[in-house]
Amino acid sequence: MVNDTKTSFDSFIPSSSTSAKNIEEWLGEKGCFAQHLKDFHPRHSQLDMAKHVAEAILNRHILLAEAGTGTGKTFAYLVPALLHSTRILVSTGSKTLQDQLFHRDLPNVQAVLKRPFNTALLKGRSNYVCHHRLHLAEQNVSTLAPHLRTTLPLVRRFLQRTDTGDRAELNDITDENPVWPYVTSNRENCLGNECSFKEECFVLKARREALKADVIVANHHLLLADFRLKDDGMSDLLPQCDTIIVDEAHHLPELASEFFGESVSSGQWLDLCRDIIISVLTEAGDAHQLLEHTKKVQRALESLEPQIDRAFPYNGRFACSTERTPELLSFFEQFNQALHPWLSLLEEASPRSGTFSQLFKRGKTLYATLSHWIGTFPENSEGMQPFVHWLERRQRSWRIVLTPLNAGEQFHQRIQNQSADTPPQTWILTSATLAVGQDFSLYREALGLSTSDSGIEANVWESPFDYSKQSLLYLPQGLPQPNQADHAQRLIESIWPLLCASHGRALLLFTSFRAMENAWERFHQLAENTPDAQNWLPLLQGQSSKADLLEQFAKHSNPVLFGSHSFWEGVDLPGRQLSLLIIDRIPFLPPDDPITAARLSWLKHKGRDPFMEHQLPQATLTLKQGVGRLIRRESDEGVVVLGDPRLRSKYYGRRILAALPPMKVSIYEEEALEFLARL
């Protein structure tokens, strides 16, 4: 999707924009944005950040910019980038921010700048309806579940009216609908140039438009996928840009570890088997041996399930080694051997058509990843291997993963110049949570950005909100330690008077699903004997999609929402609708998580302090994200409750509290009730 606006400059445009000093003429109190854009509020922090962004662009440096809520960081990076860059890539962590940037923020900036630039929105393959996949599903509609059969016509009608194929435009089908894997493609099953629908392909159309654009709005997955394609010597996924802006940049370290690693899942194998069976039935009815061997592979996958169940009876992520999981290697070696005759038959069928050629490539890639995982299987899980071997267990599915222990080195190599004839790039990495206080050490190390590099600047711009007036941080007394079984129930009992005082209007965030469910159960027990609670709308993560729950929250006058991991960020509920935010405990990463355990072991091996250098700053940053859900606008007010007694009893509690917004802190329930009463 491209917006193409060519307009002449108006008389109010500043005469010169070749220096960071001129940024004030745009974003200052008497600047163009204040004069011509409704609802624009000049902020000193925004102006100062914009000047630093401009300097970074002019000097081709890397800027790490933590910008507190309300800073207005979007304009702070867009305005100088559009003034001083030839081509810009803005990468976001979510589709929501992508759409907001493309459909709202960029048009607003362009309306004031009056600059003649094109913008393009580029998403991953799975966001666009695929003509080939839809055609394949319609050919085999009898094999689909009844509810999928009734959904396919909606997708077909959508294709007749859309220019982009972006499934976000199809409001009749939710993101969670199981039809999407049948009508969208991914990197594995896309036929590429061999597809008979390539002329109509929405993905190729979006990429062509991105190549023509001056500003490309993409996401972190595409940015990192572009790195991977360059590594493989393939053509670029994204066009060359002189300025790369990474918003929601706190996601980048974890995503970089994922992209620089390898993984293969049971779902990928099953999807491949399903696609082979469909292709045999529609294109190669005489390929009886391939059909039979594919069904054997399906049965082998089914027989693998109970064996993995015995090795890992609970859902979660588990470190793997011959020491800890000796039987696991044997399971996968047997499965690997069973694949040999099947892949040979698939290779024989590959000349039949582009479809079978692509199916063979998929099978060969999955087999290579599985073989590599088996071939590098460590002797023990405490070693200093460069990769962490682990398995993720979910309900009736599994995924085996190789994750690099230090993805920072690989990331830093890739943000250097790709070739001698490529001019230096500017990188702007920004988020509300990159630093602990003023310390960027954790983030720098995760991305390999050395503190000694003079080409890297790091700054923190505090939120302009008056947290001491707008909010109160309440630390309840008398709660048990978070590791005690009744902690969640006791927390609900402790904050019940506050819930009554706020008449619901609360968001409760938990560090585990078990704690959330325990709190939910106690909540309903207390609500039965509280008349006012009959007017509340209790909402629980998992009952519906995140988007649907947030929509219900926004519409109801007295909502109470219980959420876990995915609700700690990406939740924007301004106004009196949210007056009370409860967080159950300090969000330390589980020490038995395979990646966390390996990194802690690596730090200890280096003679460093794993807790102070990794666990504590990581938990602090996550807590900052959670606390940031309450105050989203200058008019917002409310109480934050942190139900972890370690914030007062442990030496590190003060350090965590000091990194949070400057709220008034109280241990007295009466003060919290008085604050809520004023609302």
Side-chain angles (χ1 to χ4, degrees):
M1 182 184 296
V2 171
N3 286 344
D4 187 355
T5 305
K6 307 286 186 182
T7 55
S8 59
F9 291 102
D10 283 354
S11 59
F12 63 82
I13 297 294
S15 58
S16 172
S17 58
T18 58
S19 159
K21 295 179 181 178
N22 298 103
I23 295 297
E24 191 160 358
E25 298 180 47
W26 296 97
L27 295 174
E29 290 187 11
K30 297 181 180 179
C32 297
F33 279 80
Q35 295 178 44
H36 297 276
L37 191 62
K38 185 182 178 182
D39 298 328
F40 177 81
H41 302 288
R43 299 178 177 92
H44 174 75
S45 54
Q46 181 187 63
L47 179 61
D48 192 56
M49 177 180 165
K51 290 178 179 179
H52 280 76
V53 171
E55 293 287 2
I57 293 171
L58 292 169
N59 295 313
R60 292 291 179 256
H61 283 172
I62 297 172
L63 174 63
L64 308 182
E66 175 171 302
T69 306
T71 301
K73 61 180 168 63
T74 305
F75 281 9
Y77 63 67
L78 282 180
V79 172
L82 290 167
L83 291 174
H84 302 314
S85 302
T86 304
R87 176 175 274 175
I88 305 159
L89 171 68
V90 183
S91 176
T92 75
S94 65
K95 288 185 286 186
T96 301
L97 183 54
Q98 256 192 296
D99 290 331
Q100 175 185 309
L101 276 163
F102 184 78
H103 295 293
R104 190 186 73 184
D105 296 331
L106 276 166
N108 283 340
V109 172
Q110 191 168 37
V112 178
L113 291 184
K114 301 293 183 182
R115 288 293 174 112
F117 60 82
N118 303 333
T119 60
L121 180 65
L122 187 59
K123 299 180 180 180
R125 292 179 191 275
S126 62
N127 291 281
Y128 302 95
V129 176
C130 171
H131 292 82
H132 169 71
R133 299 284 295 173
L134 175 59
H135 176 69
L136 206 60
E138 289 173 333
Q139 277 190 309
N140 296 275
V141 67
S142 61
T143 65
L144 301 178
H147 63 282
L148 295 178
R149 297 176 203 169
T150 59
T151 309
L152 287 180
L154 296 177
V155 182
R156 174 57 67 186
R157 286 197 292 272
F158 170 65
L159 283 194
Q160 295 169 0
R161 67 173 190 270
T162 179
D163 292 324
T164 67
D166 187 344
R167 68 190 232 188
E169 299 174 8
L170 184 50
N171 297 323
D172 295 337
I173 306 177
T174 65
D175 273 348
E176 293 75 25
N177 195 296
V179 76
W180 290 120
Y182 290 89
V183 298
T184 60
S185 69
N186 54 42
R187 187 168 61 94
E188 296 168 350
N189 59 34
C190 175
L191 298 181
N193 288 329
E194 297 177 350
C195 181
S196 57
F197 294 94
K198 67 179 180 181
E199 295 302 321
E200 303 103 306
C201 178
F202 292 118
V203 174
L204 293 179
K205 179 182 178 182
R207 290 181 182 173
R208 286 194 298 267
E209 293 180 343
L211 290 173
K212 297 183 295 183
D214 304 303
V215 184
I216 302 100
V217 181
N219 57 54
H220 301 345
H221 286 86
L222 285 172
L223 177 65
L224 293 166
D226 188 54
F227 283 168
R228 185 164 54 195
L229 286 177
K230 286 184 172 72
D231 286 348
D232 295 339
M234 301 173 69
S235 60
D236 296 348
L237 178 62
L238 300 170
Q240 186 68 27
C241 298
D242 57 335
T243 297
I244 298 174
I245 299 166
V246 183
D247 202 341
E248 299 178 316
H250 59 282
H251 290 299
L252 211 51
E254 183 178 351
L255 289 173
S257 292
E258 177 184 328
F259 268 84
F260 297 143
E262 300 176 25
S263 70
V264 62
S265 69
S266 57
Q268 287 175 289
W269 286 112
L270 289 169
D271 286 347
L272 177 58
C273 289
R274 181 196 64 204
D275 289 348
I276 290 172
I277 291 172
I278 290 174
S279 298
V280 168
L281 294 176
T282 56
E283 296 184 34
D286 59 331
H288 304 297
Q289 278 190 301
L290 177 58
L291 185 62
E292 185 56 38
H293 272 78
T294 301
K295 292 178 179 178
K296 285 182 180 179
V297 171
Q298 285 181 319
R299 290 193 290 271
L301 283 164
E302 291 171 0
S303 66
L304 201 56
E305 286 288 341
Q307 298 182 69
I308 292 179
D309 278 340
R310 285 194 292 272
F312 304 106
Y314 305 105
N315 290 345
R317 292 158 41 134
F318 306 93
C320 299
S321 67
T322 53
E323 174 194 55
R324 276 182 80 169
T325 51
E327 71 285 355
L328 191 66
L329 184 59
S330 176
F331 296 164
F332 283 110
E333 283 178 335
Q334 292 173 29
F335 177 64
N336 208 37
Q337 289 296 319
L339 297 174
H340 291 170
W342 178 61
L343 286 171
S344 296
L345 289 169
L346 196 53
E347 184 176 18
E348 290 176 12
S350 61
R352 284 177 177 263
S353 67
T355 300
F356 279 100
S357 175
Q358 185 65 19
L359 290 170
F360 174 59
K361 289 177 184 176
R362 284 171 63 186
K364 190 167 62 171
T365 299
L366 294 181
Y367 174 76
T369 304
L370 176 60
S371 299
H372 187 215
W373 191 84
I374 292 171
T376 57
F377 208 68
E379 288 298 316
N380 62 77
S381 57
E382 301 300 325
M384 289 296 106
Q385 298 91 353
F387 284 83
V388 183
H389 288 65
W390 54 283
L391 180 141
E392 182 175 39
R393 186 77 180 92
R394 288 289 175 258
Q395 192 68 30
R396 297 188 60 79
S397 69
W398 50 263
R399 181 170 70 112
I400 53 174
V401 190
L402 271 176
T403 298
L405 197 55
N406 185 6
E409 294 178 5
Q410 299 177 61
F411 180 83
H412 190 235
Q413 289 172 6
R414 286 156 178 80
I415 66 173
Q416 300 304 302
N417 294 334
Q418 299 297 318
S419 61
D421 59 350
T422 302
Q425 292 176 310
T426 297
W427 284 76
I428 310 296
L429 307 175
T430 185
S431 169
T433 51
L434 296 181
V436 179
Q438 302 287 324
D439 186 2
F440 286 82
S441 298
L442 182 71
Y443 191 77
R444 279 178 174 270
E445 182 168 10
L447 294 182
L449 304 175
S450 171
T451 55
S452 62
D453 191 336
S454 60
I456 302 175
E457 180 192 359
N459 270 300
V460 175
W461 285 274
E462 302 290 351
S463 169
F465 299 152
D466 190 344
Y467 283 95
S468 62
K469 290 184 178 179
Q470 292 178 242
S471 59
L472 174 74
L473 175 58
Y474 172 49
L475 305 177
Q477 301 181 73
L479 288 175
Q481 292 300 311
N483 60 356
Q484 295 187 20
D486 64 341
H487 176 265
Q489 295 95 321
R490 293 277 299 280
L491 174 61
I492 295 298
E493 294 166 6
S494 175
I495 56 93
W496 193 255
L498 275 68
L499 278 169
C500 294
S502 66
H503 306 289
R505 299 187 302 174
L507 172 63
L508 293 88
L509 298 177
F510 298 87
T511 54
S512 71
F513 290 109
R514 180 176 296 180
M516 180 181 73
E517 290 163 356
N518 289 341
W520 174 259
E521 182 179 350
R522 186 64 181 132
F523 170 88
H524 281 282
Q525 292 170 353
L526 294 174
E528 288 179 1
N529 300 313
T530 306
D532 185 47
Q534 308 310 311
N535 299 319
W536 303 349
L537 174 66
L539 301 166
L540 178 68
Q541 179 177 345
Q543 287 180 334
S544 184
S545 69
K546 180 178 178 179
D548 182 58
L549 291 172
L550 293 177
E551 184 179 353
Q552 290 187 62
F553 190 102
K555 288 181 177 179
H556 200 276
S557 56
N558 304 96
V560 181
L561 174 57
F562 289 66
S564 188
H565 307 86
S566 62
F567 283 80
W568 283 68
E569 59 178 293
V571 173
D572 192 3
L573 298 166
R576 295 295 172 85
Q577 206 70 1
L578 176 59
S579 300
L580 183 61
L581 173 68
I582 298 104
I583 296 177
D584 69 331
R585 58 184 292 176
I586 303 169
F588 287 114
L589 290 171
D592 58 350
D593 175 83
I595 299 175
T596 300
R599 286 177 180 156
L600 298 182
S601 179
W602 180 81
L603 287 169
K604 189 175 181 180
H605 179 75
K606 294 285 186 180
R608 296 164 61 180
D609 187 333
F611 180 77
M612 296 302 294
E613 293 188 42
H614 187 80
Q615 289 175 286
L616 182 59
Q618 188 67 61
T620 304
L621 289 171
T622 305
L623 187 59
K624 283 175 66 176
Q625 279 285 348
V627 169
R629 298 313 95 208
L630 181 65
I631 305 299
R632 309 298 299 172
R633 305 288 186 274
E634 292 175 348
S635 58
D636 290 350
E637 296 177 288
V639 171
V640 177
V641 180
L642 298 183
D644 195 326
R646 293 174 295 181
L647 288 164
R648 296 183 62 225
S649 63
K650 296 293 185 181
Y651 69 93
Y652 53 78
R654 286 186 182 179
R655 181 173 297 196
I656 293 176
L657 292 174
L660 299 180
M663 300 175 282
K664 179 184 177 182
V665 181
S666 175
I667 60 172
Y668 301 109
E669 181 185 273
E670 293 78 9
E671 291 190 14
L673 291 172
E674 287 174 8
F675 192 98
L676 290 170
R678 290 201 301 271
L679 303 184

